[in-house]
Amino acid sequence: MKKCIMVVFGLLVLCLVGCGKQSPSDAKFKSNPAAEQAAIQSAQVWLDLVDGGSYAKSWEDTAAVFKSAVSQADWEKTAQAVRAPLGRMVSRKIKSQQYATFLPGAPTGEYVVIQYDTTFENKANAVETVTPMLDKDGQWKVSGYYIK
């Protein structure tokens, strides 16, 4: 059951950033250090909320595209179901970050796909993918989240 929830959660949120059926080579990756740094800061603030179990606040702080795809109630329920079994976050280190102006299936915009090597209390080798985007209000906000 837990694995099924993780897969459904991963697929749902992965679809938000449009990486589902096309290959990563379809994305238009560039270098933009300033955008990458701003997106990383935004992602860290958001991850702190998720790590602390503040799922309602984390949903409030997501990009409009995330909110239009996932209701707050669904996000809270799914995030709780997926994160609780993992236990507390022990360590998190950026594995990679890539700025993109196009992600397959996602609206045109600016994105940074960030992968973290993360250790949770009950899962030693996780990879979290957090995808902030430059939202309509000019702020970097998370548009996708996936744990593998």
Side-chain angles (χ1 to χ4, degrees):
M1 176 70 173
K2 179 170 52 170
K3 187 168 186 155
C4 179
I5 290 171
M6 182 75 83
V7 170
V8 170
F9 175 71
L11 291 175
L12 172 69
V13 179
L14 191 59
C15 289
L16 294 178
V17 296
C19 296
K21 295 186 181 178
Q22 290 95 350
S23 70
S25 63
D26 292 337
K28 303 295 184 206
F29 292 111
K30 299 177 182 180
S31 179
N32 187 331
E36 291 171 20
Q37 190 58 40
I40 288 168
Q41 289 174 352
S42 174
Q44 186 56 58
V45 169
W46 188 83
L47 284 167
D48 288 346
L49 292 170
V50 174
D51 291 341
S54 299
Y55 304 126
K57 177 68 173 142
S58 71
W59 183 87
E60 290 172 13
D61 289 353
T62 59
V65 67
F66 188 103
K67 290 176 186 168
S68 68
V70 181
S71 73
Q72 182 174 347
D74 286 346
W75 167 248
E76 289 180 52
K77 181 180 175 183
T78 304
Q80 172 66 28
V82 171
R83 287 295 302 261
L86 298 175
R88 69 178 177 80
M89 189 277 297
V90 175
S91 67
R92 178 180 286 126
K93 181 180 176 186
I94 294 176
K95 179 178 181 174
S96 66
Q97 76 251 3
Q98 291 189 295
Y99 173 83
T101 55
F102 170 80
L103 293 175
T108 301
E110 295 183 60
Y111 299 86
V112 177
V113 179
I114 308 165
Q115 286 196 317
Y116 297 89
D117 284 325
T118 306
T119 300
F120 292 99
E121 195 171 46
N122 301 321
K123 184 170 176 63
N125 298 311
V127 176
E128 291 178 293
T129 303
V130 182
T131 306
M133 70 177 295
L134 191 59
D135 211 11
K136 295 174 185 177
D137 64 1
Q139 300 296 311
W140 285 93
K141 295 182 182 175
V142 171
S143 64
Y145 179 60
Y146 177 73
I147 301 173
K148 182 176 176 184

